[in-house]
């Protein structure tokens, strides 16, 4: 049984994240979306809100679970008995940071491997930060995020 973790802040989840979730859930037996609690940056949405939105957005995907975590990713992977970490790569700008993190994680826990999926081209420009910026200025974000997020951002911006 292959269990994988897809970790991130998901503040909020975008259609780019959803693309990686859907594609990786077809490759592994069980996918755990790990929602990072202790963020250096102050998130727009609390971890509870981010988890709730992800659960709603992934409810049709039967082998996907959403779990919050804090601390080291490799410790979370071990606790969940997951041997694989999935990350998404959008552009070369993601690469340097992802490489550093992956190699550090591999030193900490050689049994956990990181696999990268490259983004589908239509989402390669998309980030949670851009979505928040567009929403702040009243722009339409319906083509960037799941429905549940559109509603939640509207509420936040009120
Ligand atoms: P972080 O873990 O840096 O806080 P995010 O929560 O934004 O990042 O994203 C989690 C993971 O999803 C990362 O691997 C990131 O590269 C990937 N990702 C983010 N946006 C997209 C996208 N539009 N397409 C594919 N992958 C993405």
């Amino acid at each position: 049984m292959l269990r994988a973790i897809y970790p991130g802040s998901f503040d909020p989840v975008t259609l780019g994240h959803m693309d990686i979730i859907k594609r990786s859930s077809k490759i592994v037996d069980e996918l755990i979306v790990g929602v990072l609690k202790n963020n250096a940056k102050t998130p727009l949405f609390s971890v509870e809100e981010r988890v709730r939105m992800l659960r709603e957005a992934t409810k049709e995907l039967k082998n996907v679970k959403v779990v919050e975590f804090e601390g080291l990713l490799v410790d979370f992977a071990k606790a969940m008995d997951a041997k694989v970490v999935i990350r998404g790569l959008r552009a070369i700008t993601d690469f340097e940071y992802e490489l550093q993190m992956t190699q550090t994680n591999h030193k900490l826990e050689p049994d956990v491997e990181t696999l990268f999926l490259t983004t589908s081209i239509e989402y390669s420009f998309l980030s949670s930060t851009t979505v928040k910026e567009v929403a702040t200025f009243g722009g339409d974000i319906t083509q960037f995020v799941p429905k549940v997020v559109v509603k939640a951002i509207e509420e936040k911006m009120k």
Side-chain angles (χ1 to χ4, degrees):
M1 150 116 169
L2 181 59
R3 184 181 289 133
I5 292 184
Y6 176 41
S9 316
F10 306 105
D11 184 40
V13 56
T14 70
L15 293 184
H17 297 129
M18 288 304 297
D19 176 55
I20 300 288
I21 291 173
K22 283 179 194 155
R23 286 162 55 206
S24 48
S25 72
K26 287 187 202 153
I27 300 170
V28 301
D29 298 305
E30 187 173 85
L31 182 71
I32 296 170
V33 181
V35 185
L36 187 61
K37 188 175 182 183
N38 263 356
N39 219 338
K41 334 155 223 178
T42 313
L44 176 64
F45 292 100
S46 69
V47 71
E48 291 79 14
E49 290 170 319
R50 286 179 273 145
V51 165
R52 184 187 63 78
M53 290 187 283
L54 270 158
R55 287 201 176 131
E56 174 66 26
T58 58
K59 67 180 179 204
E60 310 291 334
L61 303 168
K62 296 301 171 214
N63 64 339
V64 174
K65 272 192 196 159
V66 183
V67 177
E68 70 170 70
F69 79 102
E70 53 188 330
L72 282 179
L73 174 59
V74 287
D75 289 342
F76 178 56
K78 270 175 103 177
M80 292 282 126
D81 197 21
K83 294 268 179 285
V84 169
V85 168
I86 306 268
R87 295 287 288 175
L89 280 180
R90 280 164 293 191
I92 199 77
T93 42
D94 281 341
F95 184 76
E96 183 108 25
Y97 171 70
E98 294 292 339
L99 186 69
Q100 270 181 10
M101 250 189 9
T102 298
Q103 289 175 337
T104 308
N105 285 340
H106 202 252
K107 279 277 177 208
L108 293 172
E109 190 48 70
D111 285 343
V112 175
E113 292 290 356
T114 303
L115 299 182
F116 292 98
L117 291 187
T118 50
T119 179
S120 295
I121 208 85
E122 65 265 43
Y123 303 123
S124 57
F125 64 94
L126 202 52
S127 72
S128 299
T129 307
T130 325
V131 165
K132 285 180 277 191
E133 266 172 23
V134 173
T136 306
F137 297 109
D140 180 11
I141 54 162
T142 50
Q143 54 184 322
F144 303 144
V145 292
K147 275 202 184 82
V148 59
V149 175
V150 177
K151 272 197 227 151
I153 290 201
E154 277 170 6
E155 288 295 314
K156 281 269 174 211
M157 299 288 162
K158 266 183 192 167

